[in-house]
Coordinates of all heavy atoms in Angstrom, one line a residue:
M27 N 170.8 252.5 94.0 CA 171.8 251.6 93.4 C 172.0 250.3 94.2 O 172.7 249.4 93.8 CB 173.1 252.3 93.2 CG 173.0 253.5 92.3 SD 172.5 252.9 90.7 CE 171.3 254.2 90.3
E28 N 171.5 250.3 95.4 CA 171.7 249.1 96.3 C 171.3 247.8 95.6 O 172.0 246.8 95.7 CB 171.0 249.3 97.6 CG 171.1 248.2 98.6 CD 172.6 247.9 99.0 OE1 173.4 248.9 99.1 OE2 173.0 246.8 99.1
P29 N 170.2 247.7 94.9 CA 169.8 246.4 94.3 C 170.9 246.0 93.3 O 171.2 244.8 93.3 CB 168.5 246.7 93.6 CG 168.0 248.0 94.1 CD 169.1 248.7 94.7
Y30 N 171.4 246.9 92.6 CA 172.4 246.5 91.6 C 173.7 246.1 92.3 O 174.4 245.2 91.8 CB 172.6 247.6 90.6 CG 171.5 248.0 89.7 CD1 170.9 249.2 89.7 CD2 170.9 247.0 89.0 CE1 169.8 249.6 88.9 CE2 169.8 247.3 88.2 CZ 169.3 248.5 88.2 OH 168.2 248.9 87.4
T31 N 174.1 246.8 93.3 CA 175.4 246.4 93.9 C 175.3 245.1 94.6 O 176.2 244.3 94.5 CB 175.8 247.5 95.0 OG1 174.8 247.7 95.9 CG2 176.1 248.9 94.3
S32 N 174.1 244.8 95.2 CA 174.0 243.5 95.8 C 174.0 242.4 94.7 O 174.5 241.3 94.9 CB 172.8 243.4 96.7 OG 171.6 243.7 96.1
E33 N 173.3 242.6 93.6 CA 173.2 241.6 92.5 C 174.6 241.4 91.9 O 175.0 240.3 91.6 CB 172.4 242.1 91.4 CG 170.9 242.0 91.7 CD 170.0 242.5 90.5 OE1 170.2 241.9 89.4 OE2 169.3 243.4 90.7
L34 N 175.4 242.5 91.8 CA 176.8 242.4 91.3 C 177.7 241.6 92.2 O 178.5 240.8 91.8 CB 177.3 243.8 91.0 CG 176.7 244.5 89.8 CD1 177.1 246.0 89.8 CD2 177.1 243.9 88.5
E35 N 177.5 241.8 93.5 CA 178.3 241.0 94.5 C 178.0 239.6 94.4 O 178.9 238.7 94.4 CB 178.0 241.6 95.9 CG 178.6 242.9 96.2 CD 180.2 242.9 96.3 OE1 180.8 241.8 96.5 OE2 180.7 243.9 96.1
V36 N 176.7 239.3 94.3 CA 176.3 237.8 94.1 C 176.9 237.3 92.9 O 177.5 236.1 92.9 CB 174.8 237.7 94.1 CG1 174.4 236.3 93.7 CG2 174.2 238.0 95.4
L37 N 176.9 238.0 91.8 CA 177.5 237.5 90.5 C 178.9 237.3 90.6 O 179.5 236.3 90.2 CB 177.2 238.5 89.3 CG 175.8 238.4 88.8 CD1 175.7 239.5 87.6 CD2 175.3 237.1 88.3
R38 N 179.6 238.3 91.2 CA 181.1 238.2 91.4 C 181.5 237.0 92.2 O 182.5 236.3 91.9 CB 181.6 239.5 92.0 CG 183.1 239.5 91.9 CD 183.6 240.9 92.3 NE 183.3 241.1 93.8 CZ 183.8 242.0 94.5 NH1 184.5 243.0 93.9 NH2 183.5 242.1 95.8
N39 N 180.7 236.7 93.2 CA 181.0 235.5 94.0 C 180.7 234.2 93.3 O 181.2 233.2 93.8 CB 180.3 235.6 95.4 CG 180.8 236.7 96.2 OD1 181.9 237.1 96.2 ND2 179.9 237.3 97.1
R40 N 179.9 234.2 92.3 CA 179.5 233.0 91.6 C 180.6 232.7 90.5 O 180.5 231.5 90.0 CB 178.2 233.2 90.9 CG 177.0 233.0 91.8 CD 175.7 233.2 91.1 NE 175.5 232.6 89.8 CZ 174.7 233.0 88.9 NH1 173.9 234.1 89.1 NH2 174.6 232.5 87.7
I41 N 181.4 233.6 90.2 CA 182.4 233.4 89.1 C 183.3 232.2 89.4 O 184.1 232.3 90.4 CB 183.2 234.6 88.7 CG1 182.2 235.7 88.2 CG2 184.3 234.3 87.7 CD1 182.9 237.1 88.0
P42 N 183.3 231.2 88.6 CA 184.2 230.0 88.8 C 185.6 230.3 88.4 O 185.8 231.1 87.5 CB 183.6 228.9 88.1 CG 182.8 229.6 87.0 CD 182.4 230.9 87.5
R43 N 186.6 229.7 89.0 CA 188.0 229.9 88.6 C 188.5 228.7 87.8 O 189.5 228.8 87.1 CB 188.8 230.1 89.8 CG 188.6 231.3 90.6 CD 188.7 232.6 89.8 NE 190.2 232.9 89.7 CZ 190.6 233.9 89.0 NH1 189.8 234.8 88.4 NH2 191.9 234.2 88.9
R44 N 187.9 227.5 88.0 CA 188.4 226.3 87.3 C 187.6 226.0 86.0 O 186.4 226.2 86.0 CB 188.4 225.1 88.2 CG 189.1 225.3 89.5 CD 190.5 224.9 89.3 NE 191.2 225.0 90.6 CZ 192.4 225.5 90.7 NH1 193.1 225.9 89.7 NH2 193.0 225.5 91.9
H45 N 188.3 225.6 85.0 CA 187.6 225.2 83.7 C 187.0 223.8 83.9 O 187.6 222.8 84.3 CB 188.6 225.2 82.6 CG 188.1 224.9 81.3 ND1 188.0 223.6 80.8 CD2 187.5 225.7 80.3 CE1 187.4 223.7 79.6 NE2 187.1 224.9 79.3
S46 N 185.7 223.8 83.5 CA 185.0 222.5 83.4 C 183.8 222.9 82.6 O 183.4 224.1 82.4 CB 184.5 222.0 84.7 OG 183.5 222.7 85.3
P47 N 183.1 221.9 81.9 CA 181.9 222.1 81.1 C 180.8 222.9 81.9 O 180.2 223.8 81.4 CB 181.5 220.8 80.6 CG 182.8 219.9 80.6 CD 183.5 220.5 81.8
D48 N 180.6 222.5 83.1 CA 179.6 223.1 83.9 C 180.0 224.5 84.2 O 179.1 225.4 84.2 CB 179.4 222.4 85.3 CG 178.6 221.1 85.0 OD1 178.0 220.9 84.0 OD2 178.7 220.2 85.9
N49 N 181.3 224.8 84.5 CA 181.7 226.2 84.8 C 181.6 227.1 83.6 O 181.4 228.3 83.7 CB 183.1 226.2 85.4 CG 183.1 225.6 86.8 OD1 182.1 225.6 87.5 ND2 184.3 225.4 87.3
V50 N 181.8 226.5 82.4 CA 181.7 227.3 81.2 C 180.3 227.7 81.0 O 180.0 228.9 80.7 CB 182.2 226.4 79.9 CG1 181.7 227.1 78.6 CG2 183.7 226.2 79.9
K51 N 179.3 226.8 81.3 CA 177.9 227.2 81.2 C 177.6 228.3 82.3 O 176.9 229.3 82.0 CB 177.0 226.0 81.5 CG 177.0 225.0 80.4 CD 176.2 223.7 80.7 CE 176.4 222.7 79.7 NZ 175.7 221.4 80.1
E52 N 178.1 228.1 83.5 CA 177.9 229.1 84.5 C 178.5 230.5 84.2 O 177.9 231.5 84.3 CB 178.5 228.6 85.8 CG 178.3 229.5 87.0 CD 177.0 229.7 87.5 OE1 176.0 229.1 87.0 OE2 176.8 230.5 88.4
M53 N 179.7 230.5 83.6 CA 180.3 231.8 83.1 C 179.5 232.4 82.1 O 179.3 233.7 82.1 CB 181.7 231.5 82.6 CG 182.8 231.4 83.6 SD 183.2 233.0 84.4 CE 184.2 233.6 83.1
N54 N 178.9 231.7 81.1 CA 178.1 232.2 80.1 C 176.8 232.8 80.7 O 176.4 233.9 80.4 CB 177.7 231.2 79.0 CG 178.9 231.0 78.1 OD1 179.5 231.9 77.7 ND2 179.0 229.8 77.7
N55 N 176.2 232.1 81.7 CA 175.0 232.6 82.4 C 175.3 233.9 83.2 O 174.6 234.9 83.1 CB 174.5 231.6 83.3 CG 173.8 230.4 82.6 OD1 173.4 230.6 81.5 ND2 173.7 229.3 83.3
I56 N 176.4 233.9 83.9 CA 176.8 235.1 84.6 C 177.1 236.3 83.7 O 176.6 237.4 84.0 CB 178.1 234.8 85.5 CG1 177.8 233.8 86.6 CG2 178.7 236.1 86.1 CD1 179.0 233.2 87.3
T57 N 177.8 236.0 82.6 CA 178.0 237.1 81.6 C 176.7 237.7 81.1 O 176.6 238.9 81.0 CB 178.9 236.6 80.5 OG1 180.1 236.0 81.0 CG2 179.3 237.7 79.6
D58 N 175.7 236.8 80.8 CA 174.4 237.3 80.3 C 173.7 238.1 81.4 O 173.1 239.2 81.1 CB 173.5 236.1 79.9 CG 174.1 235.4 78.6 OD1 174.9 236.0 77.9 OD2 173.6 234.3 78.4
E59 N 173.8 237.6 82.6 CA 173.1 238.4 83.7 C 173.8 239.7 83.9 O 173.2 240.8 84.2 CB 173.2 237.6 85.0 CG 172.2 236.3 84.9 CD 172.4 235.5 86.2 OE1 172.4 236.1 87.3 OE2 172.4 234.3 86.0
Y60 N 175.1 239.7 83.9 CA 175.9 241.0 84.0 C 175.5 242.0 82.9 O 175.4 243.2 83.2 CB 177.4 240.7 84.0 CG 178.3 241.9 84.0 CD1 178.1 242.9 84.9 CD2 179.3 242.0 83.1 CE1 179.0 244.0 85.0 CE2 180.1 243.1 83.1 CZ 180.0 244.1 84.0 OH 180.8 245.2 84.0
E61 N 175.4 241.5 81.7 CA 175.0 242.4 80.6 C 173.6 243.0 80.8 O 173.5 244.1 80.5 CB 175.0 241.6 79.2 CG 174.8 242.5 78.1 CD 174.9 241.8 76.7 OE1 174.8 240.5 76.7 OE2 175.0 242.5 75.7
Q62 N 172.7 242.2 81.4 CA 171.4 242.8 81.7 C 171.5 243.9 82.7 O 170.9 244.9 82.6 CB 170.5 241.7 82.1 CG 169.0 242.2 82.2 CD 168.5 242.8 80.9 OE1 168.6 242.2 79.9 NE2 167.9 244.0 81.1
I63 N 172.3 243.7 83.7 CA 172.5 244.7 84.7 C 173.1 245.9 84.1 O 172.7 247.1 84.4 CB 173.3 244.1 85.9 CG1 172.6 243.1 86.7 CG2 173.7 245.3 86.9 CD1 173.4 242.3 87.7
L64 N 174.1 245.7 83.3 CA 174.7 246.9 82.6 C 173.7 247.7 81.8 O 173.6 248.9 81.8 CB 175.8 246.4 81.6 CG 177.2 246.2 82.1 CD1 178.1 245.7 81.1 CD2 177.8 247.6 82.6
R65 N 172.8 247.0 81.1 CA 171.7 247.6 80.3 C 170.8 248.4 81.2 O 170.4 249.6 80.9 CB 170.9 246.6 79.5 CG 171.7 246.0 78.4 CD 170.8 245.1 77.5 NE 171.6 244.3 76.6 CZ 172.1 244.8 75.5 NH1 172.0 246.1 75.2 NH2 172.8 244.0 74.7
N66 N 170.5 247.9 82.4 CA 169.6 248.6 83.3 C 170.3 249.8 83.9 O 169.7 250.9 84.0 CB 169.2 247.6 84.5 CG 168.3 246.5 84.0 OD1 167.7 246.5 83.0 ND2 168.2 245.4 84.8
V67 N 171.6 249.7 84.2 CA 172.3 250.9 84.8 C 172.5 251.9 83.7 O 172.3 253.1 84.0 CB 173.7 250.4 85.3 CG1 174.6 251.6 85.7 CG2 173.5 249.5 86.6
E68 N 172.8 251.5 82.5 CA 172.9 252.4 81.4 C 171.7 253.2 81.1 O 171.7 254.4 80.8 CB 173.3 251.7 80.1 CG 173.4 252.5 78.9 CD 173.5 251.6 77.6 OE1 172.7 250.7 77.5 OE2 174.3 252.0 76.8
A69 N 170.5 252.7 81.4 CA 169.2 253.3 81.1 C 168.9 254.3 82.2 O 167.9 255.1 82.0 CB 168.1 252.3 81.0
I70 N 169.6 254.4 83.3 CA 169.3 255.3 84.4 C 169.4 256.8 84.0 O 168.5 257.5 84.1 CB 170.1 255.0 85.7 CG1 169.8 253.7 86.2 CG2 169.9 256.1 86.7 CD1 170.7 253.2 87.3
D71 N 170.5 257.1 83.4 CA 170.7 258.5 82.9 C 172.0 258.6 82.0 O 172.7 257.6 81.9 CB 170.7 259.6 84.0 CG 171.9 259.4 84.9 OD1 173.0 258.9 84.5 OD2 171.8 259.8 86.1
A72 N 172.2 259.7 81.5 CA 173.3 259.9 80.5 C 174.6 259.7 81.1 O 175.6 259.2 80.5 CB 173.2 261.3 79.8
E73 N 174.8 260.1 82.4 CA 176.1 259.9 83.1 C 176.4 258.5 83.2 O 177.6 258.0 83.0 CB 176.0 260.6 84.5 CG 177.3 260.7 85.2 CD 178.3 261.6 84.5 OE1 177.9 262.5 83.8 OE2 179.5 261.4 84.7
Y74 N 175.5 257.6 83.6 CA 175.7 256.2 83.7 C 176.0 255.6 82.4 O 176.8 254.7 82.2 CB 174.6 255.5 84.5 CG 174.6 255.7 85.9 CD1 173.6 256.4 86.6 CD2 175.6 255.2 86.7 CE1 173.6 256.6 87.9 CE2 175.7 255.3 88.1 CZ 174.7 256.0 88.7 OH 174.7 256.2 90.0
E75 N 175.2 256.1 81.4 CA 175.4 255.6 80.0 C 176.9 255.8 79.6 O 177.5 254.9 78.9 CB 174.5 256.3 79.1 CG 174.5 255.8 77.6 CD 173.5 256.5 76.7 OE1 172.6 257.2 77.2 OE2 173.6 256.3 75.5
K76 N 177.4 257.0 79.9 CA 178.8 257.3 79.5 C 179.8 256.3 80.2 O 180.8 255.9 79.5 CB 179.1 258.7 79.9 CG 180.5 259.2 79.5 CD 180.7 260.7 79.8 CE 181.0 260.8 81.3 NZ 181.3 262.2 81.7
H77 N 179.6 256.1 81.4 CA 180.5 255.2 82.2 C 180.4 253.7 81.9 O 181.3 253.0 82.1 CB 180.3 255.4 83.7 CG 180.7 256.8 84.2 ND1 182.0 257.2 84.1 CD2 180.0 257.8 84.7 CE1 182.2 258.4 84.6 NE2 180.9 258.8 85.0
T78 N 179.2 253.3 81.4 CA 179.1 251.8 81.2 C 179.5 251.4 79.7 O 179.7 250.3 79.5 CB 177.6 251.4 81.4 OG1 176.7 252.2 80.5 CG2 177.2 251.5 82.8
A79 N 179.7 252.4 78.9 CA 180.1 252.1 77.5 C 181.3 251.2 77.4 O 181.3 250.2 76.7 CB 180.3 253.4 76.7
N80 N 182.3 251.5 78.2 CA 183.6 250.8 78.2 C 183.4 249.4 78.7 O 184.0 248.4 78.3 CB 184.7 251.5 79.0 CG 185.2 252.7 78.3 OD1 185.0 252.9 77.1 ND2 185.7 253.6 79.1
L81 N 182.4 249.2 79.7 CA 182.2 247.9 80.2 C 181.5 247.0 79.3 O 181.7 245.8 79.3 CB 181.4 248.1 81.5 CG 182.1 248.9 82.6 CD1 181.1 249.1 83.8 CD2 183.4 248.3 83.0
F82 N 180.7 247.6 78.4 CA 180.0 246.8 77.4 C 181.1 246.2 76.4 O 181.0 245.1 76.0 CB 179.0 247.6 76.6 CG 177.7 247.7 77.2 CD1 177.2 248.8 77.8 CD2 176.8 246.6 77.2 CE1 176.0 248.9 78.4 CE2 175.5 246.6 77.8 CZ 175.1 247.8 78.4
A83 N 182.1 247.0 76.1 CA 183.2 246.6 75.3 C 184.0 245.4 75.9 O 184.6 244.7 75.1 CB 184.2 247.8 75.0
D84 N 184.0 245.3 77.2 CA 184.7 244.2 77.8 C 184.0 242.9 77.6 O 184.7 241.8 77.6 CB 184.7 244.4 79.4 CG 185.6 245.6 79.8 OD1 186.4 246.0 79.0 OD2 185.4 246.0 81.0
L85 N 182.7 242.9 77.3 CA 182.0 241.6 77.2 C 182.4 240.7 76.0 O 182.5 239.5 76.2 CB 180.5 241.9 77.1 CG 179.9 242.5 78.3 CD1 178.4 242.8 78.1 CD2 180.0 241.6 79.5
D86 N 182.6 241.3 74.9 CA 183.0 240.5 73.7 C 184.3 239.7 73.9 O 184.4 238.5 73.6 CB 183.1 241.3 72.4 CG 181.7 241.7 71.9 OD1 180.7 241.0 72.3 OD2 181.6 242.7 71.2
P87 N 185.4 240.4 74.4 CA 186.6 239.5 74.6 C 186.4 238.5 75.7 O 187.0 237.4 75.5 CB 187.6 240.6 75.1 CG 187.1 241.9 74.6 CD 185.6 241.8 74.6
I88 N 185.6 238.8 76.7 CA 185.4 237.8 77.8 C 184.6 236.6 77.1 O 185.0 235.4 77.4 CB 184.5 238.4 78.9 CG1 185.4 239.4 79.7 CG2 184.0 237.3 79.8 CD1 184.6 240.3 80.6
R89 N 183.6 236.8 76.4 CA 182.8 235.8 75.7 C 183.7 234.9 74.7 O 183.6 233.8 74.6 CB 181.6 236.3 75.0 CG 180.5 236.7 75.9 CD 179.2 237.1 75.2 NE 178.2 237.2 76.2 CZ 177.5 238.3 76.4 NH1 177.8 239.4 75.7 NH2 176.5 238.3 77.2
A90 N 184.6 235.7 74.0 CA 185.5 235.0 73.1 C 186.4 234.0 73.8 O 186.6 232.9 73.4 CB 186.3 236.0 72.3
K91 N 187.0 234.5 75.0 CA 187.9 233.6 75.7 C 187.1 232.4 76.3 O 187.7 231.3 76.3 CB 188.6 234.4 76.8 CG 189.6 235.3 76.3 CD 190.4 236.1 77.3 CE 191.4 237.0 76.7 NZ 192.1 237.8 77.7
I92 N 185.9 232.6 76.7 CA 185.1 231.5 77.3 C 184.9 230.5 76.1 O 185.1 229.3 76.3 CB 183.8 232.0 77.8 CG1 184.0 232.9 79.1 CG2 182.9 230.8 78.2 CD1 182.7 233.6 79.5
K93 N 184.6 231.0 75.0 CA 184.3 230.1 73.8 C 185.6 229.4 73.4 O 185.5 228.2 73.1 CB 183.7 230.9 72.6 CG 183.3 230.0 71.5 CD 182.7 230.8 70.4 CE 182.3 229.9 69.3 NZ 181.6 230.5 68.2
M94 N 186.7 230.1 73.4 CA 188.0 229.5 73.0 C 188.4 228.4 74.0 O 189.1 227.4 73.6 CB 189.1 230.5 72.8 CG 188.9 231.3 71.6 SD 190.4 232.4 71.3 CE 190.3 233.6 72.6
S95 N 188.0 228.5 75.3 CA 188.3 227.6 76.3 C 187.6 226.2 76.1 O 187.9 225.3 76.8 CB 188.0 228.1 77.7 OG 186.7 228.1 78.0
T96 N 186.6 226.2 75.2 CA 186.0 225.0 74.9 C 186.4 224.3 73.6 O 185.9 223.3 73.2 CB 184.4 225.2 74.8 OG1 184.2 226.0 73.7 CG2 183.9 225.8 76.1
S97 N 187.4 224.9 72.9 CA 187.9 224.4 71.6 C 188.6 223.0 71.8 O 189.4 222.8 72.7 CB 188.9 225.4 71.0 OG 189.5 224.8 69.9
N98 N 188.2 222.1 70.9 CA 188.8 220.8 70.9 C 190.3 220.9 70.5 O 191.1 219.9 70.8 CB 188.1 219.8 70.0 CG 186.7 219.5 70.5 OD1 186.5 219.5 71.7 ND2 185.8 219.2 69.6
K99 N 190.7 221.9 69.8 CA 192.0 222.1 69.4 C 193.0 222.6 70.5 O 194.2 222.5 70.3 CB 192.1 223.0 68.2 CG 191.3 222.5 67.0 CD 191.4 223.4 65.8 CE 190.6 222.9 64.7 NZ 190.5 223.8 63.5
A100 N 192.4 223.2 71.5 CA 193.2 223.7 72.6 C 193.6 222.7 73.6 O 192.8 221.7 73.9 CB 192.5 224.8 73.3
S101 N 194.8 222.8 74.1 CA 195.3 221.9 75.2 C 194.6 222.1 76.4 O 194.0 223.2 76.6 CB 196.8 222.0 75.3 OG 197.1 223.2 75.9
K102 N 194.6 221.2 77.4 CA 194.0 221.4 78.7 C 194.6 222.7 79.4 O 193.9 223.5 79.9 CB 194.3 220.2 79.5 CG 193.9 220.3 81.0 CD 192.4 220.3 81.2 CE 192.1 220.3 82.7 NZ 191.1 221.2 83.1
K103 N 195.9 222.8 79.2 CA 196.6 224.0 79.8 C 196.1 225.3 79.2 O 195.8 226.3 79.9 CB 198.1 223.9 79.7 CG 198.9 225.0 80.3 CD 200.4 224.8 80.2 CE 201.1 226.0 80.8 NZ 202.5 225.8 80.7
M104 N 195.9 225.3 77.9 CA 195.4 226.5 77.2 C 194.0 226.8 77.6 O 193.6 227.9 77.8 CB 195.6 226.3 75.7 CG 195.1 227.5 74.9 SD 196.0 229.0 75.3 CE 197.6 228.8 74.5
K105 N 193.2 225.7 77.7 CA 191.8 225.9 78.1 C 191.7 226.5 79.5 O 190.9 227.4 79.7 CB 191.0 224.6 78.1 CG 190.8 224.0 76.7 CD 190.1 222.7 76.7 CE 189.9 222.1 75.4 NZ 189.2 220.9 75.4
D106 N 192.5 226.0 80.4 CA 192.5 226.5 81.8 C 193.0 228.0 81.8 O 192.4 228.8 82.5 CB 193.5 225.7 82.7 CG 192.9 224.3 83.0 OD1 191.7 224.1 82.7 OD2 193.7 223.5 83.4
Q107 N 194.0 228.3 81.0 CA 194.5 229.7 80.9 C 193.5 230.6 80.4 O 193.2 231.7 80.9 CB 195.8 229.7 80.1 CG 196.4 231.1 80.1 CD 197.7 231.2 79.2 OE1 198.2 230.1 78.9 NE2 198.1 232.3 78.9
L108 N 192.8 230.2 79.3 CA 191.8 231.1 78.7 C 190.6 231.3 79.6 O 190.1 232.5 79.8 CB 191.3 230.5 77.4 CG 192.3 230.6 76.2 CD1 191.8 229.6 75.1 CD2 192.4 232.0 75.7
F109 N 190.2 230.3 80.3 CA 189.1 230.4 81.2 C 189.5 231.2 82.4 O 188.7 232.1 82.8 CB 188.7 229.0 81.7 CG 187.4 229.0 82.5 CD1 186.2 228.9 81.8 CD2 187.4 229.0 83.8 CE1 185.0 229.0 82.5 CE2 186.2 229.0 84.6 CZ 185.0 229.0 83.9
D110 N 190.7 231.1 82.9 CA 191.1 231.9 84.0 C 191.2 233.4 83.6 O 190.8 234.3 84.4 CB 192.5 231.4 84.5 CG 192.9 232.1 85.7 OD1 192.2 232.1 86.7 OD2 194.1 232.6 85.7
E111 N 191.7 233.7 82.4 CA 191.7 235.1 81.9 C 190.3 235.6 81.8 O 190.1 236.8 82.2 CB 192.4 235.1 80.6 CG 193.9 234.9 80.6 CD 194.6 234.8 79.3 OE1 193.9 235.1 78.2 OE2 195.7 234.4 79.2
A112 N 189.4 234.8 81.3 CA 188.0 235.3 81.1 C 187.4 235.6 82.5 O 186.7 236.6 82.7 CB 187.2 234.3 80.4
S113 N 187.6 234.7 83.5 CA 187.0 234.9 84.8 C 187.6 236.1 85.5 O 186.9 236.9 86.1 CB 187.1 233.6 85.6 OG 188.4 233.3 85.9
G114 N 188.9 236.3 85.3 CA 189.6 237.5 85.9 C 189.0 238.7 85.3 O 188.8 239.7 86.0
S115 N 188.9 238.7 83.9 CA 188.4 239.9 83.3 C 187.0 240.3 83.7 O 186.6 241.4 83.9 CB 188.5 239.8 81.7 OG 189.8 239.6 81.3
L116 N 186.2 239.2 83.8 CA 184.8 239.4 84.2 C 184.7 240.0 85.6 O 184.0 240.9 85.9 CB 184.0 238.1 84.1 CG 182.5 238.2 84.4 CD1 181.8 239.3 83.5 CD2 181.9 236.9 84.2
K117 N 185.5 239.4 86.5 CA 185.6 240.0 87.9 C 186.0 241.5 87.9 O 185.4 242.3 88.6 CB 186.5 239.2 88.8 CG 185.9 238.0 89.4 CD 186.8 237.3 90.4 CE 186.0 236.2 91.1 NZ 186.6 235.7 92.2
D118 N 187.0 241.8 87.1 CA 187.5 243.2 87.0 C 186.4 244.1 86.5 O 186.2 245.2 87.0 CB 188.7 243.3 86.1 CG 189.9 242.6 86.7 OD1 190.0 242.3 87.9 OD2 190.9 242.4 85.9
S119 N 185.7 243.6 85.5 CA 184.6 244.5 84.9 C 183.5 244.7 85.9 O 182.9 245.8 86.1 CB 184.1 243.8 83.6 OG 183.2 244.6 83.0
L120 N 183.1 243.6 86.6 CA 182.1 243.7 87.7 C 182.6 244.7 88.7 O 181.8 245.5 89.2 CB 181.8 242.4 88.3 CG 180.9 241.4 87.6 CD1 181.2 240.0 88.1 CD2 179.5 241.8 87.6
Q121 N 183.8 244.6 89.1 CA 184.3 245.5 90.1 C 184.3 247.0 89.6 O 184.0 247.9 90.4 CB 185.8 245.2 90.5 CG 186.4 246.0 91.6 CD 185.6 245.9 92.9 OE1 185.2 244.9 93.3 NE2 185.4 247.1 93.6
N122 N 184.6 247.2 88.4 CA 184.5 248.5 87.8 C 183.1 249.1 87.9 O 182.9 250.3 88.2 CB 185.0 248.6 86.3 CG 186.6 248.4 86.3 OD1 187.3 248.6 87.3 ND2 187.0 247.9 85.1
L123 N 182.2 248.3 87.6 CA 180.8 248.8 87.7 C 180.3 249.0 89.1 O 179.7 250.0 89.4 CB 179.8 247.7 87.0 CG 178.3 248.2 87.0 CD1 178.1 249.5 86.3 CD2 177.5 247.1 86.4
L124 N 180.8 248.2 90.0 CA 180.5 248.5 91.4 C 181.1 249.8 91.8 O 180.4 250.6 92.6 CB 181.1 247.3 92.3 CG 180.3 246.1 92.3 CD1 181.1 244.9 93.0 CD2 179.0 246.3 93.2
E125 N 182.3 250.1 91.4 CA 182.9 251.5 91.7 C 182.1 252.6 91.1 O 182.0 253.7 91.7 CB 184.3 251.4 91.3 CG 185.2 250.5 92.1 CD 186.6 250.3 91.6 OE1 187.0 251.0 90.6 OE2 187.3 249.4 92.1
I126 N 181.6 252.4 90.0 CA 180.8 253.5 89.3 C 179.5 253.7 90.1 O 179.0 254.8 90.3 CB 180.4 253.1 87.9 CG1 181.7 253.1 87.0 CG2 179.3 254.0 87.3 CD1 181.5 252.5 85.6
L127 N 178.9 252.6 90.6 CA 177.6 252.7 91.4 C 177.8 253.3 92.8 O 176.8 253.8 93.3 CB 177.0 251.4 91.4 CG 176.5 250.8 90.1 CD1 176.0 249.4 90.3 CD2 175.4 251.6 89.5
V128 N 179.0 253.2 93.3 CA 179.1 253.7 94.7 C 179.3 255.2 94.8 O 179.5 255.9 93.9 CB 180.4 253.1 95.3 CG1 180.7 253.6 96.7 CG2 180.2 251.6 95.4

């Protein structure tokens, strides 16, 4: 599990906290990479598959918040708040997977 834990640590450290167009792109990339790691861990065996199911469910709300943070209708404050919530949720989800792998 060491390769996955080190990859997850790298991803977690890359998560930006401030909203900007570049950071939105980075968050989307990190979320995609995280999903691929989840798929790889899920494929290991039935026990990991059971534990990762909830983590897959976390991805849609995270992606939705990232997308909403780019809405032209949202205020700057709302964009920042949505992005901050998405980055916090992604960090939490990454941490949960790290705990499963340890």
